[in-house]
Amino acid sequence: MHKAYAAFPPGCCIPPPPLPRFLSSSTFSAPSCAWFARDGENLPIMVLMPMNESALMSSISQGIEPAVQLAIQHIRESRKYSFSLITKIYDTECDNAKGLRAFFDAICYGPKHLMIFGGVCPSVTSIIAESLEGWNLVQLSFAATTPVLADKKKYPNFFRTVPSDNAVNPAVVKFLNYYNWSRVGTLTQDVQRFSEVRNDLTSELEKADIQIADTESFSNDPCVNVKKLKDNDVRIIIGQFDENLASKVFCCAYNLNMFGSKYQWIIPGWYQGNWWEQANSTNCTTKKLLTAMEGYISVDFEPLSARQIKGISGRTPKDYEREYSRELQQKGVEASKFHGFAYDGIWVIAKTLTRVMELLRVKQRQNTFNNFTVDDREVGKMVLDVMNETNFFGVTGQVMFRNGERMGTIKFNQFQGGHEVKVGEYNAIADVLDLINNSIKFQGVEPPKDRTFVRLQRRHINVPLYSILSTITILGMLMAGAFLFFNIKNRNHRLIKMSSPYMNNLIILGGLLSYASIFLFGLDGGFVTDKEFETLCTVRTWILIVGYTTAFGAMFAKTWRVHAIFKNVKMKKKIIKDQKLLIIVGGMLLIDLCILICWQVVDPLKRTVEEYSLEADPQGRDIAIRPFLEHCENTHMTIWLGIVYAYKGLLMLFGCFLAWETRNVSIPALNDSKYIGMSVYNVGIMCIIGAAVSFLTRDQPNVQFCIVALVIIFCSTITLCLVFVPKFITMRTNPDAATQNRRLKFTQNQKKEDSKTSTSVTSVNQANTSRLDGLQTDNHRLRMRITELDKELEEVTMQLQDTPEKTPYIKQNHYPDANNILSIRNFTDGKDGEKSILKNHLEQKPQAQWGSMDPSRINRGPLEDINSPEHIQRRLSLQLPILHHAYLPSIGGVDASCTSPNGSPGSSPRHRHMPPSYRVMVSGL
């Protein structure tokens, strides 16, 4: 200490601070002596550093002193400066109290220091720097990187040649933008130094519009926080922690598999070499740590410039480094990473002092004739202004200050194969990031993603499946079209006409609508827009519901007509036309429309998207697949479906009831009850199975669509085939088979109604069928039969002529039976000409036919007697009753409808038992 005091020039006094001191051109005080130094005069510089080996960060100071002495030597050798700098180092011991005392001792007992150089420990430096404004002194630090000192309101007289810890944040943001990383997470040790860096980084990230997905802080155990980062899908992790906890962080990362091609760690770059071995206090081996550390990026300031150009000292950074290494060897101390900033700092002080002295001399010359005075505050302001104007190229790069902060160069290193490799640097002055080509080696084929890119993938219906089912649907529609053509073409045929062709057309129309809905069920957002999809939701629902009601409503209406006719046996006639059936079907459709309109108005169907859990990419890319599925839903979907299912279920149950009630009516052309029952059974079973399986396969659109489509195709096809295929087969094989069964039966639960069945048959025939074609066929066939009977009757008549002895037998024994035969005319509805001939014949000559024979006729010849008028009238009287008896029942002429409604079937001639005498009489004829 005393040597330091003796080294300063005599005659300089130290006034007690902080009283203001004024300088005049005639009588200079101590400060003026220094600022107006003569050539070769030594100027004192206060150096504050921890020099005690037991103090923290003392290793930094030991490697700084050779760099400072080397800078002073180079300044002296340059001969550009009229003074020499001398330094006196004051040991702060990294202790606030000791450091503050050392500072006050230097102020009170030492020479007048023009500037303060140093400041290593953040706490000591911040205390001293906060008081510098009162002393009108400027401090220049070469190692204090704490961001707190960047507050110019609190530390206006503080400068530093080393970039602060916050200086790396713009570089990090530039690096993130280079790789288009817009989502990061931070992991920070709960220490003020790192928290300040994180806060500044947050501000920089927000300015760059980079999302901070998660911010984690920890004190001792980082594993919980690391896991939270993984849970939040953070891929780019910016860490702020010392090397002692860095090993714990990477051990946790290894255990959680947060390394490799999917993750990128960015950590501070000021750790000591092989820090993972020295600070490994975890249960992870070195190999595991190296595996987790592979590829991390470290960010720190550049200690020496990579640009090999001569700077202010006339030396390149390499030249200086060689000289500095020699000094270290001579003194036997270790190098400090801050030595280049200390070297450039001495040059900054030299340039600043020179410039301030020049300014003072200029002011002195300008005020030659006036008393020139200047105080320490004004000088201090001049020093601040000159410091901010500093701009030269030193061994650490371009030396510039912005608000007291060094605009330096930030380097990027990557951990590759067990050691760090420089991969680029960031120039803060030019705001340029320069990465060395192909130096960064990511563990994947491409840089990691800043997040798990989720690709939404629509679960759509496969085009081949849709094509196959559409083809089957088209075939079904073609089949329905063929049935429609068949029904229209043969609408006047008695078989088709008796089965109500208009109702058949409605059945076909319902089937076509059901088929058409399949095309709409197979369309999703991959084919149509969202708005069109919502429209499809409504349209396909309407088409399917209306199609079902149209088809089965028509079938049930037909069955109801048969049931109504055969159930109401007390009525003589019951004519139910197709118009009434159309009204019934229209009523069913009206109910459907009311339900659908209310559904659409109150709670319309809308497009909803259901997302499922993430899935790995099947191609192995670093993306995740999130399947989603589109549905047609509304708020009260269950209620509306319940209403529709209830209505359709009641309709189906009603159809089953009608089919059961008419199961024994055996006119296929009239009654489809058996086929309706089969259709209802198949449709019911398939709908129940299809609805259940469709609900269970809600998240599998291909399976769901396949089941729905097959159910619709099966139900529609089975229904149409059961209705029309039997008619088609009957038309091809036996057109009359549908109406040849005249033994109609309608079994009721009450036994007394069995005898009343035949009463309703005529009503059915009159109301629903036209039998003109059938009657024409029967007429032709019966005409042929009449011709055959004429011949047989002539033969019988000739036999009667040849055997007159049998005539009395006939007359005596069978005349009443013959009258019974003739009485058949009362039940016939033949032609009027035939009735009149028969009636006149019986009224005029009943006795002449059967009473006696004229003896004169017996003696006549056979041919002459056969052609006589008596024989002709006899033939007619016998032929007509027999022919009517054979003809009328075939066309329904002799039936219960021609008798009293209260007559029993036994009273009809078709059911009357023929006596044996009648059979004898006919054979006798």
Side-chain angles (χ1 to χ4, degrees), residues 736 740 742 774-788 886-887 890-891:
D736 302 324
Q740 286 178 356
R742 294 175 298 277
L775 291 175
Q776 289 177 353
T777 304
D778 290 344
N779 187 31
H780 177 71
R781 186 176 66 254
L782 293 174
R783 285 178 181 273
M784 297 298 295
R785 182 61 178 164
I786 289 172
T787 304
E788 294 177 358
Y887 171 77
S890 300
I891 61 172

Side-chain angles (χ1 to χ4, degrees), residues 144-148 150 160-175 193 196-198 200-201 204 240 299-302 341 400 402 405-412 425-429 431:
T145 60
T146 176
V148 176
R160 50 187 167 191
T161 56
V162 60
S164 72
D165 292 336
N166 286 346
V168 302
N169 292 334
V172 171
V173 172
K174 202 75 173 180
F175 186 77
R193 174 187 180 185
E196 292 170 351
V197 176
R198 182 203 50 205
D200 182 74
L201 176 62
E204 294 290 337
Q240 293 292 340
V299 186
D300 195 15
F301 52 81
E302 184 76 84
F341 299 103
M400 289 182 62
R402 184 176 298 171
E405 295 294 309
R406 168 71 185 274
M407 305 297 294
T409 303
I410 306 300
K411 68 173 180 178
F412 290 88
E425 63 180 27
Y426 169 76
N427 189 335
I429 299 174
D431 191 24

Side-chain angles (χ1 to χ4, degrees), residues 595-752:
I595 296 175
L596 292 174
I597 291 174
C598 293
W599 190 350
Q600 182 66 22
V601 173
V602 177
D603 193 12
L605 288 171
K606 295 182 180 179
R607 173 183 176 269
T608 60
V609 177
E610 181 180 3
E611 294 185 353
Y612 299 90
S613 57
L614 294 176
E615 299 177 357
D617 180 49
Q619 300 180 2
R621 295 172 296 180
D622 186 19
I623 60 175
I625 304 298
R626 184 180 294 280
F628 73 94
L629 190 58
E630 298 166 308
H631 297 292
C632 294
E633 293 180 347
N634 53 13
T635 306
H636 305 288
M637 190 72 175
T638 306
I639 296 176
W640 294 107
L641 288 179
I643 294 173
V644 173
Y645 288 159
Y647 171 55
K648 300 303 178 184
L650 291 176
L651 189 62
M652 189 174 293
L653 291 177
F654 179 65
C656 292
F657 169 75
L658 294 179
W660 176 261
E661 287 290 305
T662 60
R663 66 189 183 280
N664 290 323
V665 178
S666 57
I667 299 181
L670 293 177
N671 183 32
D672 294 328
S673 60
K674 180 173 67 174
Y675 303 122
I676 291 176
M678 295 174 61
S679 298
V680 170
Y681 174 78
N682 291 320
V683 171
I685 295 299
M686 292 301 297
C687 287
I688 293 174
I689 296 176
V693 177
S694 176
F695 178 79
L696 294 176
T697 58
R698 174 185 174 88
D699 57 342
Q700 302 178 30
N702 288 315
V703 178
Q704 187 181 46
F705 172 68
C706 184
I707 291 173
V708 171
L710 290 178
V711 167
I712 295 175
I713 292 172
F714 179 82
C715 295
S716 301
T717 304
I718 288 296
T719 301
L720 293 175
C721 289
L722 289 175
V723 172
F724 290 99
V725 170
K727 293 179 175 57
F728 180 78
I729 294 175
T730 303
M731 287 285 294
R732 298 286 296 178
T733 57
N734 188 6
D736 302 324
T739 57
Q740 286 178 356
N741 187 357
R742 294 175 298 277
R743 295 172 14 176
L744 302 176
K745 299 179 182 179
F746 185 74
T747 303
Q748 303 295 334
N749 295 330
Q750 301 175 1
K751 297 181 179 179
K752 293 181 180 181

Side-chain angles (χ1 to χ4, degrees), residues 175-176 179-183 234-237 259-265 294-295 297 414 440-453 622:
F175 186 77
L176 296 176
Y179 287 103
N180 297 320
W181 290 331
S182 60
R183 185 176 184 271
V234 176
R235 299 291 198 89
I236 311 302
I237 306 169
F259 62 92
S261 60
K262 294 184 178 181
Y263 293 90
Q264 181 61 60
W265 289 83
E294 184 67 25
I297 298 293
Q414 187 180 34
I440 297 182
K441 296 180 181 179
F442 296 106
Q443 299 188 49
V445 295
E446 59 182 0
K449 306 295 182 182
D450 61 358
R451 70 198 73 188
T452 300
F453 278 95
D622 186 19

Side-chain angles (χ1 to χ4, degrees), residues 228-505:
K228 288 182 179 179
L229 292 173
K230 183 177 182 180
D231 294 339
N232 290 325
D233 191 36
V234 176
R235 299 291 198 89
I236 311 302
I237 306 169
I238 302 175
Q240 293 292 340
F241 37 76
D242 58 32
E243 60 262 35
N244 294 322
L245 291 178
S247 58
K248 293 184 178 181
V249 170
F250 282 104
C251 182
C252 297
Y254 180 85
N255 295 330
L256 294 172
N257 199 29
M258 293 181 65
F259 62 92
S261 60
K262 294 184 178 181
Y263 293 90
Q264 181 61 60
W265 289 83
I266 301 176
I267 62 174
W270 42 262
Y271 298 164
Q272 299 296 324
N274 297 331
W275 56 266
W276 56 89
E277 295 179 354
Q278 301 174 9
N280 186 6
S281 60
T282 67
N283 54 1
C284 293
T285 62
T286 303
K287 183 178 180 181
K288 292 181 179 180
L289 288 178
L290 292 176
T291 302
M293 292 161 51
E294 184 67 25
Y296 75 71
I297 298 293
S298 63
V299 186
D300 195 15
F301 52 81
E302 184 76 84
L304 291 176
S305 176
R307 299 173 61 188
Q308 298 303 317
I309 58 176
K310 292 182 179 182
I312 191 173
S313 64
R315 294 169 177 80
T316 64
K318 284 289 185 182
D319 296 337
Y320 159 74
E321 189 176 16
R322 283 194 295 268
E323 294 185 27
Y324 175 71
S325 298
R326 285 197 299 267
E327 291 291 329
L328 292 179
Q329 292 178 356
Q330 292 176 1
K331 296 183 178 182
V333 296
E334 294 182 358
S336 171
K337 62 179 296 186
F338 298 99
H339 66 88
F341 299 103
Y343 180 84
D344 285 342
I346 297 298
W347 281 95
V348 170
I349 292 175
K351 287 182 66 63
T352 300
L353 294 179
T354 301
R355 179 60 181 163
V356 171
M357 291 177 181
E358 291 177 356
L359 292 175
L360 289 174
R361 290 191 182 97
V362 170
K363 285 189 176 184
Q364 183 182 16
R365 285 194 297 269
Q366 293 176 351
N367 295 275
T368 304
F369 301 101
N370 300 322
N371 290 332
F372 172 65
T373 59
V374 61
D375 60 4
D376 289 344
R377 182 169 300 179
E378 186 176 355
V379 173
K381 186 178 183 304
M382 294 175 64
V383 173
L384 292 178
D385 293 339
V386 172
M387 291 281 287
N388 282 320
E389 294 174 357
T390 301
N391 188 0
F392 65 87
F393 187 83
V395 296
T396 58
Q398 197 72 23
V399 180
M400 289 182 62
F401 299 103
R402 184 176 298 171
N403 293 326
E405 295 294 309
R406 168 71 185 274
M407 305 297 294
T409 303
I410 306 300
K411 68 173 180 178
F412 290 88
N413 292 340
Q414 187 180 34
F415 191 76
Q416 299 177 2
H419 62 279
E420 291 188 354
V421 177
K422 183 178 179 180
V423 294
E425 63 180 27
Y426 169 76
N427 189 335
I429 299 174
D431 191 24
V432 174
L433 176 65
D434 184 18
L435 297 179
I436 302 174
N437 294 333
N438 301 322
S439 59
I440 297 182
K441 296 180 181 179
F442 296 106
Q443 299 188 49
V445 295
E446 59 182 0
K449 306 295 182 182
D450 61 358
R451 70 198 73 188
T452 300
F453 278 95
V454 179
R455 177 173 297 178
L456 292 176
Q457 187 177 79
R458 179 183 287 103
R459 287 186 175 178
H460 57 82
I461 298 169
N462 291 335
V463 176
L465 176 63
Y466 182 77
S467 302
I468 293 172
L469 293 177
S470 297
T471 303
I472 298 174
T473 302
I474 293 174
L475 294 177
M477 298 181 74
L478 292 176
M479 180 194 69
F483 287 151
L484 181 62
F485 174 78
F486 168 77
N487 191 68
I488 295 176
K489 181 180 179 182
N490 300 284
R491 64 185 179 278
N492 292 324
H493 193 281
R494 60 173 180 170
L495 179 63
I496 303 301
K497 199 163 188 178
M498 291 173 67
S499 65
S500 302
Y502 293 110
M503 295 294 104
N504 294 340
N505 291 340

